């Protein structure tokens, strides 16, 4: 792959289900999130060779990379309008990048596998519809590892960090607050408490201390209310591990999302624009 200047990494809040295809039903609910995602190409200042997306919606026994050159769609949601089960995001995959990721993981001593059939889940295709709506940039998904150990996923980020110098954009896709049983106005205070802690840990803490805070994220205020199960937070560990010594910046925040919750997205490393 071509070597060029280093790209930043991202942890994005990806929203709910197929929201880019539900603007009539959702109204302005996603306008601010959509604008933040659409601004990412401006921030990086060029078109990446490919995107490596670590989605909260894929877990495997080993870190598994998607090797399908033409990824199909995985409609991994329920209860949405019928037309949202026909949507397409037709970005190509990249078997070359998949093999490169697998080799980096193996070199780091991490368990790695390749899945030649896997398609895009909504943790990838929904935000990508806002980031690159023309689907012109190849996209490869990389799974979480079952057990969701923060240290393992920080190590994953360290292992794939060289991709940043190869014009590959690393994106962790989750949600900074994810408790579907506690949404809306009643979650205002607890989501704010955790979001404030998260911003402090990844933006207002020196990079050298950031890892230690994230390893013990479950001790944060309202942590287990914000994330009864942490699969939507763990992609953050990958983005941080891949930019370990670099500053973080909050690139998206609102405190009344979906009727009252605080949510955020972050960039690690400098923007080019």
């Amino acid at each position: 792959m071509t070597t060029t200047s280093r790209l930043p990494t991202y942890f994005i809040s990806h929203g709910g289900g197929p929201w880019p295809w539900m603007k009539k039903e959702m109204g302005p609910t996603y306008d601010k999130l959509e604008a933040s995602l659409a601004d990412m190409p401006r921030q990086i200042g060029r078109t990446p060779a490919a995107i490596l997306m670590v989605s909260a919606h894929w877990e495997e026994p080993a870190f598994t990379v998607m090797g399908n050159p033409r990824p199909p769609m995985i409609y991994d949601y329920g209860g949405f309008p019928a037309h949202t089960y026909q949507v397409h995001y037709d970005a190509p995959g990249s078997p070359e990048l998949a093999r490169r990721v697998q080799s980096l993981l193996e070199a780091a001593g991490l368990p790695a596998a390749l899945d030649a059939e896997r398609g895009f889940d909504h943790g990838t295709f929904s935000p990508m519809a806002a980031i690159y709506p023309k689907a012109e940039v190849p996209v490869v998904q990389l799974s979480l590892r079952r057990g969701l150990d923060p240290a393992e996923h920080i190590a994953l980020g360290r292992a794939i960090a060289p991709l940043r110098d190869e014009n590959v954009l690393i994106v962790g896709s989750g949600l900074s607050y994810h408790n579907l049983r506690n949404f809306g106005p009643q979650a205002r205070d607890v989501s704010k408490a955790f979001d404030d802690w998260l911003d402090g840990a990844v933006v207002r803490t020196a990079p050298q201390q950031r890892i230690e805070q994230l390893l013990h994220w479950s001790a944060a205020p309202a942590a287990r209310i914000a994330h009864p199960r942490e699969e939507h937070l763990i992609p953050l560990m990958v983005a941080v591990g891949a930019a370990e010594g670099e500053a973080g910046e909050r690139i998206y925040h609102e405190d009344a999302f979906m009727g009252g919750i605080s949510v955020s997205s972050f960039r690690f490393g400098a923007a080019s624009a």
Side-chain angles (χ1 to χ4, degrees):
M1 289 189 175
T2 302
T3 300
T4 184
S5 57
R6 174 168 290 186
L7 288 171
T9 71
Y10 287 85
F11 169 71
I12 58 171
S13 287
H14 65 229
W19 62 265
W21 292 271
M22 295 179 60
K23 292 185 178 181
K24 183 172 73 172
E25 295 90 345
M26 302 299 292
T29 299
Y30 282 95
D31 285 359
K32 193 169 183 179
L33 175 59
E34 183 175 26
S36 75
L37 295 170
D39 192 52
M40 288 168 58
R42 181 197 65 80
Q43 293 176 28
I44 67 175
R46 64 179 186 270
T47 302
I51 293 173
L52 183 64
M53 184 76 79
V54 182
S55 169
H57 294 278
W58 188 19
E59 300 174 37
E60 296 288 350
F63 293 117
T64 303
V65 61
M66 185 182 78
N68 197 325
R70 288 289 171 187
M73 301 289 283
I74 300 174
Y75 303 114
D76 56 336
Y77 42 74
F80 288 92
H83 72 87
T84 65
Y85 298 88
Q86 305 297 324
V87 302
H88 278 269
Y89 185 78
D90 291 325
S94 174
E96 176 191 10
L97 175 58
R99 290 189 295 269
R100 172 70 172 139
V101 172
Q102 185 179 21
S103 69
L104 287 171
L105 299 187
E106 291 171 346
L110 296 173
L114 195 70
D115 186 331
E117 303 299 324
R118 174 78 186 189
F120 296 139
D121 61 54
H122 81 268
T124 291
F125 67 72
S126 288
M128 286 303 305
I131 300 168
Y132 286 109
K134 295 181 180 179
E136 71 270 35
V137 179
V139 180
V140 170
Q141 279 196 219
L142 174 60
S143 79
L144 304 176
R145 189 181 184 201
R146 289 178 190 163
L148 304 177
D149 179 25
E152 283 191 338
H153 289 82
I154 289 168
L156 169 63
R158 291 176 180 136
I160 61 175
L163 298 174
R164 299 176 58 204
D165 296 314
E166 300 169 13
N167 203 25
V168 174
L169 184 66
I170 297 170
V171 181
S173 176
L175 200 60
S176 62
Y177 177 91
H178 192 258
N179 184 341
L180 299 183
R181 295 186 176 184
N182 192 33
F183 239 65
Q186 70 272 18
R188 185 181 305 276
D189 291 343
V190 291
S191 66
K192 183 180 187 304
F194 184 75
D195 199 75
D196 286 350
W197 175 86
L198 192 62
D199 183 55
V202 302
V203 174
R204 290 179 276 115
T205 298
Q208 294 80 2
Q209 283 78 51
R210 184 170 60 200
I211 296 290
E212 188 65 21
Q213 293 217 32
L214 291 177
L215 288 172
H216 299 97
W217 73 270
S218 61
R224 281 299 180 186
I225 301 174
H227 293 280
R229 190 174 186 275
E230 57 265 41
E231 80 283 352
H232 275 72
L233 182 67
I234 291 296
L236 169 67
M237 311 299 172
V238 185
V240 168
E244 187 169 2
E246 297 172 61
E249 181 177 342
R250 185 158 65 178
I251 60 163
Y252 159 73
H253 173 72
E254 52 185 309
D255 57 12
F257 181 67
M258 298 297 287
I261 66 169
S262 291
V263 289
S264 295
S265 299
F266 302 93
R267 186 186 68 239
F268 302 95
S272 298

Coordinates of all heavy atoms in Angstrom, one line a residue, residues 176-253:
S176 N -21.7 6.1 22.4 CA -21.1 6.4 23.7 C -22.0 6.2 24.9 O -21.6 6.1 26.1 CB -20.6 7.9 23.8 OG -21.7 8.8 23.6
Y177 N -23.3 6.0 24.6 CA -24.3 5.6 25.6 C -25.2 4.6 24.9 O -25.7 4.8 23.8 CB -25.2 6.8 26.1 CG -26.3 6.4 27.0 CD1 -26.0 6.4 28.4 CD2 -27.5 6.0 26.6 CE1 -27.0 6.0 29.3 CE2 -28.5 5.6 27.5 CZ -28.3 5.6 28.8 OH -29.2 5.2 29.7
H178 N -25.3 3.4 25.5 CA -26.1 2.3 24.9 C -26.8 1.5 25.9 O -26.3 0.4 26.3 CB -25.2 1.5 24.0 CG -25.9 0.6 23.1 ND1 -26.1 -0.8 23.3 CD2 -26.6 0.8 21.9 CE1 -26.9 -1.3 22.3 NE2 -27.2 -0.4 21.5
N179 N -27.9 2.0 26.3 CA -28.8 1.2 27.2 C -30.2 1.4 26.7 O -30.9 2.4 27.0 CB -28.7 1.7 28.7 CG -29.5 0.9 29.6 OD1 -30.5 0.2 29.2 ND2 -29.2 1.0 30.9
L180 N -30.6 0.4 25.9 CA -31.9 0.5 25.2 C -33.1 0.5 26.1 O -34.2 0.8 25.8 CB -32.0 -0.5 24.1 CG -31.0 -0.5 23.0 CD1 -31.2 -1.6 22.0 CD2 -30.9 0.9 22.4
R181 N -32.9 0.0 27.4 CA -34.0 0.0 28.4 C -34.0 1.3 29.2 O -34.9 1.4 30.0 CB -33.8 -1.2 29.3 CG -33.9 -2.6 28.6 CD -33.9 -3.7 29.5 NE -34.1 -5.0 28.8 CZ -34.2 -6.2 29.5 NH1 -34.0 -6.2 30.8 NH2 -34.4 -7.3 28.8
N182 N -33.1 2.2 29.0 CA -33.1 3.4 29.7 C -32.7 4.5 28.7 O -31.6 5.0 28.7 CB -32.1 3.3 30.9 CG -32.3 4.5 31.8 OD1 -33.4 5.0 32.0 ND2 -31.2 4.9 32.4
F183 N -33.7 4.9 27.9 CA -33.4 5.9 26.9 C -34.4 7.1 27.2 O -35.3 7.0 28.0 CB -33.7 5.3 25.5 CG -32.6 5.4 24.6 CD1 -31.4 4.6 24.8 CD2 -32.6 6.1 23.4 CE1 -30.4 4.7 23.9 CE2 -31.6 6.1 22.5 CZ -30.4 5.4 22.8
G184 N -34.1 8.2 26.5 CA -35.0 9.3 26.6 C -34.8 10.2 27.8 O -33.7 10.1 28.4
P185 N -35.7 11.0 28.2 CA -35.5 12.0 29.3 C -35.1 11.4 30.6 O -34.3 12.0 31.3 CB -36.9 12.7 29.4 CG -37.6 12.5 28.1 CD -37.1 11.2 27.6
Q186 N -35.5 10.2 30.9 CA -35.2 9.6 32.2 C -33.7 9.2 32.3 O -33.1 9.0 33.3 CB -36.0 8.3 32.5 CG -35.7 7.1 31.6 CD -36.5 7.1 30.3 OE1 -37.1 8.2 29.9 NE2 -36.6 6.0 29.7
A187 N -33.0 9.2 31.1 CA -31.6 8.9 31.1 C -30.7 10.1 31.0 O -29.5 10.0 30.9 CB -31.3 8.0 29.9
R188 N -31.3 11.3 31.1 CA -30.5 12.5 30.9 C -29.4 12.6 31.9 O -28.2 12.9 31.5 CB -31.5 13.7 31.1 CG -30.8 15.1 30.8 CD -31.8 16.2 31.0 NE -33.0 16.1 30.3 CZ -33.1 16.4 29.0 NH1 -32.1 17.0 28.3 NH2 -34.3 16.3 28.4
D189 N -29.6 12.4 33.2 CA -28.6 12.7 34.2 C -27.5 11.6 34.1 O -26.3 11.9 34.2 CB -29.2 12.7 35.6 CG -30.0 14.0 35.8 OD1 -29.9 14.9 35.0 OD2 -30.8 14.0 36.8
V190 N -27.9 10.3 34.0 CA -26.9 9.3 34.0 C -26.1 9.3 32.7 O -24.8 9.0 32.8 CB -27.5 7.9 34.2 CG1 -28.1 7.7 35.6 CG2 -28.6 7.6 33.1
S191 N -26.7 9.6 31.6 CA -25.9 9.7 30.3 C -24.9 10.8 30.4 O -23.8 10.7 29.9 CB -26.8 9.8 29.1 OG -27.5 11.0 29.1
K192 N -25.4 11.9 31.0 CA -24.5 13.1 31.1 C -23.3 12.8 32.0 O -22.1 13.2 31.7 CB -25.2 14.3 31.6 CG -24.3 15.6 31.7 CD -25.1 16.8 32.2 CE -24.3 18.0 32.1 NZ -23.0 17.9 32.8
A193 N -23.6 12.1 33.1 CA -22.5 11.7 34.1 C -21.4 10.9 33.4 O -20.2 11.2 33.5 CB -23.1 11.0 35.3
F194 N -21.9 9.9 32.6 CA -20.9 9.1 31.9 C -20.2 9.8 30.8 O -19.0 9.7 30.6 CB -21.5 7.8 31.4 CG -20.5 6.8 30.8 CD1 -19.6 6.1 31.6 CD2 -20.4 6.7 29.4 CE1 -18.7 5.2 31.0 CE2 -19.5 5.9 28.8 CZ -18.6 5.1 29.6
D195 N -21.0 10.6 30.0 CA -20.4 11.3 28.9 C -19.4 12.3 29.4 O -18.3 12.5 28.8 CB -21.5 12.0 28.1 CG -21.0 12.4 26.7 OD1 -20.9 11.5 25.9 OD2 -20.8 13.6 26.5
D196 N -19.6 13.0 30.5 CA -18.7 13.9 31.1 C -17.4 13.2 31.4 O -16.3 13.7 31.2 CB -19.2 14.6 32.3 CG -20.3 15.7 31.9 OD1 -20.4 16.0 30.7 OD2 -21.0 16.2 32.9
W197 N -17.5 12.0 32.1 CA -16.3 11.3 32.4 C -15.6 10.9 31.2 O -14.3 11.0 31.1 CB -16.7 10.0 33.2 CG -15.5 9.2 33.5 CD1 -14.6 9.3 34.5 CD2 -15.0 8.1 32.7 NE1 -13.6 8.3 34.4 CE2 -13.8 7.6 33.3 CE3 -15.5 7.5 31.5 CZ2 -13.1 6.5 32.7 CZ3 -14.7 6.5 30.9 CH2 -13.6 6.0 31.6
L198 N -16.3 10.4 30.2 CA -15.6 9.9 28.9 C -14.9 11.1 28.3 O -13.7 10.9 27.8 CB -16.7 9.4 28.0 CG -16.2 8.6 26.8 CD1 -15.4 7.3 27.2 CD2 -17.4 8.2 25.9
D199 N -15.5 12.2 28.2 CA -14.8 13.4 27.6 C -13.5 13.7 28.4 O -12.4 14.0 27.8 CB -15.7 14.6 27.5 CG -15.1 15.8 26.9 OD1 -14.6 15.7 25.7 OD2 -15.0 16.9 27.5
G200 N -13.6 13.7 29.7 CA -12.4 13.9 30.5 C -11.4 12.9 30.3 O -10.2 13.2 30.3
A201 N -11.8 11.6 30.2 CA -10.8 10.5 30.1 C -10.0 10.6 28.8 O -8.8 10.3 28.7 CB -11.5 9.2 30.3
V202 N -10.7 10.9 27.7 CA -10.1 10.8 26.4 C -9.6 12.1 25.8 O -8.8 12.1 24.9 CB -11.0 10.0 25.4 CG1 -11.3 8.7 25.9 CG2 -12.2 10.8 25.0
V203 N -10.2 13.2 26.3 CA -9.8 14.5 25.8 C -9.0 15.3 26.8 O -7.9 15.9 26.4 CB -11.0 15.3 25.3 CG1 -10.7 16.8 24.9 CG2 -11.8 14.6 24.2
R204 N -9.4 15.4 28.0 CA -8.8 16.3 29.0 C -7.8 15.6 29.9 O -7.3 16.2 30.8 CB -9.9 16.9 29.8 CG -10.7 18.0 29.0 CD -11.8 18.6 29.8 NE -13.0 17.8 29.8 CZ -13.5 17.3 30.9 NH1 -12.9 17.4 32.1 NH2 -14.7 16.6 30.8
T205 N -7.5 14.3 29.6 CA -6.4 13.6 30.3 C -5.3 13.4 29.3 O -5.4 13.2 28.1 CB -7.0 12.2 30.7 OG1 -8.0 12.4 31.6 CG2 -5.9 11.4 31.4
A206 N -4.0 13.5 29.8 CA -2.9 13.4 29.0 C -2.9 12.0 28.4 O -3.3 11.0 29.0 CB -1.6 13.5 29.9
P207 N -2.5 11.9 27.1 CA -2.5 10.5 26.5 C -1.8 9.4 27.3 O -2.3 8.3 27.2 CB -1.8 10.8 25.1 CG -2.0 12.2 24.9 CD -2.0 12.9 26.2
Q208 N -0.8 9.8 28.0 CA -0.1 8.7 28.8 C -1.0 8.1 29.9 O -0.8 7.0 30.2 CB 1.2 9.3 29.4 CG 2.2 9.7 28.4 CD 1.9 11.1 27.8 OE1 1.0 11.8 28.1 NE2 2.8 11.5 26.9
Q209 N -1.9 8.9 30.4 CA -2.8 8.4 31.5 C -4.2 7.9 30.9 O -4.9 7.3 31.6 CB -3.1 9.5 32.5 CG -1.9 9.7 33.5 CD -0.8 10.6 32.9 OE1 -1.0 11.6 32.3 NE2 0.4 10.1 33.0
R210 N -4.4 8.2 29.7 CA -5.7 7.9 29.1 C -6.0 6.4 29.1 O -7.1 5.9 29.4 CB -5.8 8.4 27.7 CG -7.1 8.2 27.0 CD -7.1 9.0 25.7 NE -6.0 8.6 24.8 CZ -5.5 9.4 23.8 NH1 -6.0 10.6 23.6 NH2 -4.6 9.0 23.0
I211 N -5.0 5.6 28.8 CA -5.1 4.1 28.7 C -5.5 3.6 30.0 O -6.5 2.8 30.1 CB -3.8 3.5 28.2 CG1 -3.5 3.9 26.8 CG2 -3.9 1.9 28.3 CD1 -4.4 3.4 25.7
E212 N -4.9 4.0 31.1 CA -5.2 3.5 32.4 C -6.7 3.8 32.8 O -7.3 3.0 33.4 CB -4.3 4.1 33.5 CG -4.4 3.5 34.8 CD -4.0 2.1 34.9 OE1 -3.2 1.6 34.0 OE2 -4.4 1.4 35.9
Q213 N -7.1 5.0 32.5 CA -8.5 5.3 32.8 C -9.5 4.4 32.0 O -10.5 3.9 32.5 CB -8.8 6.8 32.4 CG -8.1 7.7 33.3 CD -8.9 9.0 33.7 OE1 -10.1 8.9 33.8 NE2 -8.2 10.1 33.9
L214 N -9.2 4.2 30.7 CA -10.1 3.4 29.9 C -10.1 1.9 30.3 O -11.1 1.2 30.2 CB -9.7 3.5 28.4 CG -10.0 4.9 27.8 CD1 -9.6 5.0 26.4 CD2 -11.5 5.2 27.9
L215 N -8.9 1.4 30.8 CA -8.9 0.0 31.3 C -9.9 -0.2 32.4 O -10.3 -1.3 32.6 CB -7.5 -0.3 31.7 CG -6.5 -0.5 30.5 CD1 -5.1 -0.7 31.1 CD2 -6.8 -1.7 29.7
H216 N -10.1 0.9 33.2 CA -11.0 0.8 34.3 C -12.3 1.6 34.1 O -12.8 2.1 35.0 CB -10.2 1.3 35.6 CG -9.0 0.4 35.9 ND1 -7.8 0.8 35.5 CD2 -8.9 -0.8 36.5 CE1 -6.9 -0.1 35.9 NE2 -7.5 -1.1 36.5
W217 N -12.8 1.6 32.9 CA -13.9 2.4 32.5 C -15.1 2.0 33.4 O -16.0 2.9 33.7 CB -14.3 2.2 31.0 CG -14.9 0.9 30.7 CD1 -14.2 -0.3 30.4 CD2 -16.3 0.6 30.8 NE1 -15.1 -1.3 30.2 CE2 -16.4 -0.8 30.5 CE3 -17.4 1.3 31.1 CZ2 -17.6 -1.5 30.4 CZ3 -18.6 0.6 31.1 CH2 -18.7 -0.8 30.7
S218 N -15.3 0.8 33.8 CA -16.5 0.4 34.5 C -16.6 1.0 35.9 O -17.7 0.9 36.5 CB -16.6 -1.2 34.6 OG -15.5 -1.7 35.3
A219 N -15.6 1.6 36.4 CA -15.6 2.3 37.7 C -16.1 3.8 37.5 O -16.2 4.5 38.5 CB -14.3 2.3 38.4
A220 N -16.3 4.2 36.3 CA -16.7 5.6 36.0 C -18.1 5.8 36.5 O -18.9 4.9 36.7 CB -16.6 5.9 34.5
P221 N -18.5 7.1 36.7 CA -19.9 7.4 37.1 C -20.9 6.9 36.1 O -20.8 7.1 34.9 CB -19.9 8.9 37.1 CG -18.5 9.3 37.4 CD -17.7 8.3 36.6
A222 N -21.9 6.1 36.6 CA -23.0 5.6 35.8 C -22.5 4.7 34.7 O -23.3 4.4 33.7 CB -23.8 6.7 35.2
A223 N -21.3 4.1 34.8 CA -20.8 3.3 33.7 C -21.7 2.1 33.3 O -22.0 1.9 32.1 CB -19.4 2.8 34.1
R224 N -22.1 1.4 34.3 CA -22.9 0.2 33.9 C -24.4 0.5 33.7 O -25.1 -0.4 33.2 CB -22.8 -0.9 35.1 CG -21.5 -1.6 35.0 CD -21.4 -2.4 33.7 NE -20.1 -3.2 33.6 CZ -19.7 -3.8 32.5 NH1 -20.5 -3.8 31.4 NH2 -18.6 -4.5 32.5
I225 N -24.8 1.7 33.9 CA -26.1 2.2 33.4 C -25.9 2.6 31.9 O -26.8 2.2 31.1 CB -26.7 3.3 34.2 CG1 -26.8 2.9 35.7 CG2 -28.0 3.8 33.7 CD1 -27.2 4.0 36.6
A226 N -24.9 3.3 31.6 CA -24.6 3.7 30.3 C -24.3 2.5 29.4 O -24.7 2.5 28.2 CB -23.4 4.7 30.2
H227 N -23.7 1.5 29.9 CA -23.3 0.3 29.1 C -23.5 -0.9 29.9 O -22.5 -1.5 30.5 CB -21.8 0.4 28.6 CG -21.6 1.5 27.7 ND1 -21.9 1.4 26.3 CD2 -21.1 2.8 27.9 CE1 -21.6 2.6 25.7 NE2 -21.1 3.4 26.6
P228 N -24.7 -1.4 30.0 CA -25.0 -2.7 30.7 C -24.1 -3.8 30.1 O -23.6 -4.7 30.8 CB -26.5 -3.0 30.5 CG -27.0 -1.6 30.2 CD -26.0 -0.9 29.5
R229 N -23.9 -3.8 28.8 CA -23.0 -4.6 28.1 C -22.2 -3.7 27.2 O -22.7 -2.8 26.5 CB -23.7 -5.7 27.2 CG -22.7 -6.7 26.7 CD -23.5 -7.8 26.0 NE -22.6 -8.9 25.6 CZ -21.9 -8.9 24.4 NH1 -22.1 -7.9 23.6 NH2 -21.1 -9.9 24.1
E230 N -20.9 -3.8 27.2 CA -20.0 -2.8 26.7 C -19.6 -2.9 25.2 O -18.7 -2.2 24.8 CB -18.7 -2.7 27.5 CG -17.9 -4.0 27.6 CD -18.3 -4.9 28.8 OE1 -19.5 -5.0 29.2 OE2 -17.3 -5.4 29.4
E231 N -20.3 -3.7 24.4 CA -19.9 -3.8 23.0 C -19.9 -2.5 22.2 O -19.1 -2.3 21.3 CB -20.7 -4.9 22.3 CG -22.1 -4.4 21.8 CD -23.1 -4.3 22.9 OE1 -22.8 -4.7 24.0 OE2 -24.2 -3.8 22.6
H232 N -20.7 -1.5 22.6 CA -20.8 -0.3 21.9 C -19.7 0.7 22.4 O -19.5 1.8 21.7 CB -22.2 0.4 22.0 CG -23.1 -0.1 21.0 ND1 -23.6 -1.4 21.0 CD2 -23.6 0.5 19.9 CE1 -24.4 -1.6 19.9 NE2 -24.4 -0.5 19.2
L233 N -19.0 0.4 23.5 CA -17.9 1.2 24.0 C -16.6 0.7 23.5 O -15.6 1.5 23.3 CB -18.0 1.3 25.5 CG -16.9 2.2 26.1 CD1 -17.1 3.7 25.8 CD2 -16.9 2.0 27.7
I234 N -16.4 -0.6 23.4 CA -15.1 -1.2 23.1 C -14.5 -0.8 21.8 O -13.3 -0.7 21.8 CB -15.3 -2.8 23.2 CG1 -15.6 -3.2 24.6 CG2 -14.0 -3.5 22.6 CD1 -14.4 -2.9 25.6
P235 N -15.2 -0.4 20.7 CA -14.5 0.1 19.6 C -13.7 1.4 19.9 O -12.7 1.6 19.2 CB -15.7 0.4 18.6 CG -16.7 -0.6 18.9 CD -16.7 -0.7 20.4
L236 N -14.1 2.1 20.9 CA -13.2 3.2 21.4 C -11.9 2.8 21.7 O -10.9 3.5 21.5 CB -13.9 3.9 22.5 CG -13.1 5.0 23.3 CD1 -12.8 6.2 22.4 CD2 -13.8 5.4 24.6
M237 N -11.7 1.6 22.4 CA -10.4 1.1 22.8 C -9.5 0.9 21.6 O -8.3 1.2 21.7 CB -10.6 -0.2 23.6 CG -11.6 -0.1 24.7 SD -11.3 1.1 26.0 CE -12.8 1.0 26.9
V238 N -10.1 0.5 20.5 CA -9.3 0.2 19.3 C -8.8 1.5 18.7 O -7.6 1.7 18.4 CB -10.1 -0.5 18.3 CG1 -9.2 -0.9 17.1 CG2 -10.7 -1.8 18.9
A239 N -9.7 2.5 18.6 CA -9.2 3.8 18.1 C -8.2 4.5 19.0 O -7.2 5.1 18.5 CB -10.5 4.7 18.0
V240 N -8.3 4.3 20.3 CA -7.3 4.9 21.2 C -6.0 4.1 21.1 O -4.9 4.7 21.1 CB -7.8 4.9 22.7 CG1 -6.7 5.2 23.7 CG2 -9.0 5.9 22.8
G241 N -6.0 2.8 21.1 CA -4.8 2.0 21.0 C -4.0 2.3 19.7 O -2.8 2.3 19.7
A242 N -4.7 2.6 18.6 CA -4.1 2.9 17.4 C -3.5 4.4 17.3 O -2.8 4.7 16.4 CB -5.0 2.7 16.2
A243 N -3.8 5.2 18.3 CA -3.3 6.6 18.4 C -2.9 6.9 19.8 O -3.2 7.9 20.4 CB -4.4 7.5 17.9
E244 N -2.1 5.9 20.4 CA -1.9 5.9 21.8 C -1.4 7.2 22.4 O -1.8 7.6 23.5 CB -1.0 4.7 22.1 CG -0.9 4.4 23.6 CD -0.2 3.1 23.9 OE1 0.2 2.4 22.9 OE2 0.0 2.8 25.1
G245 N -0.4 7.8 21.8 CA 0.3 8.9 22.4 C -0.3 10.3 21.9 O 0.3 11.3 22.2
E246 N -1.4 10.2 21.1 CA -1.8 11.5 20.5 C -3.1 12.0 21.1 O -3.9 11.3 21.8 CB -2.1 11.1 19.0 CG -0.8 10.7 18.3 CD -1.1 10.2 16.9 OE1 -1.6 11.0 16.1 OE2 -0.7 9.1 16.6
A247 N -3.3 13.3 21.0 CA -4.4 14.0 21.7 C -5.7 13.6 21.1 O -5.8 13.2 19.9 CB -4.2 15.5 21.5
G248 N -6.7 13.6 21.9 CA -8.1 13.4 21.5 C -8.9 14.7 21.5 O -8.6 15.6 22.2
E249 N -9.9 14.7 20.6 CA -10.8 15.8 20.4 C -12.2 15.3 20.3 O -12.4 14.4 19.5 CB -10.4 16.7 19.3 CG -11.3 17.9 19.1 CD -10.8 18.8 17.9 OE1 -9.6 18.7 17.5 OE2 -11.6 19.6 17.5
R250 N -13.1 15.9 21.0 CA -14.5 15.6 20.8 C -15.0 16.3 19.5 O -15.0 17.5 19.5 CB -15.4 16.0 22.0 CG -16.8 15.5 21.9 CD -17.5 15.4 23.2 NE -17.6 16.7 23.9 CZ -18.2 16.8 25.1 NH1 -18.7 15.8 25.7 NH2 -18.4 18.0 25.7
I251 N -15.5 15.5 18.6 CA -15.9 16.1 17.3 C -17.4 16.2 17.1 O -18.0 16.8 16.2 CB -15.3 15.4 16.1 CG1 -15.8 13.9 16.1 CG2 -13.8 15.5 16.1 CD1 -15.6 13.2 14.8
Y252 N -18.1 15.5 18.1 CA -19.6 15.6 18.0 C -20.1 15.4 19.5 O -19.6 14.6 20.2 CB -20.1 14.4 17.2 CG -21.6 14.0 17.4 CD1 -22.6 14.8 17.1 CD2 -21.8 12.8 18.1 CE1 -24.0 14.4 17.3 CE2 -23.1 12.4 18.4 CZ -24.2 13.2 18.0 OH -25.5 12.8 18.3
H253 N -21.1 16.2 19.8 CA -21.7 16.1 21.1 C -23.1 16.7 21.1 O -23.3 17.8 20.5 CB -20.9 16.8 22.2 CG -21.6 16.8 23.5 ND1 -21.8 15.7 24.3 CD2 -22.2 17.8 24.2 CE1 -22.4 16.0 25.4 NE2 -22.7 17.3 25.3

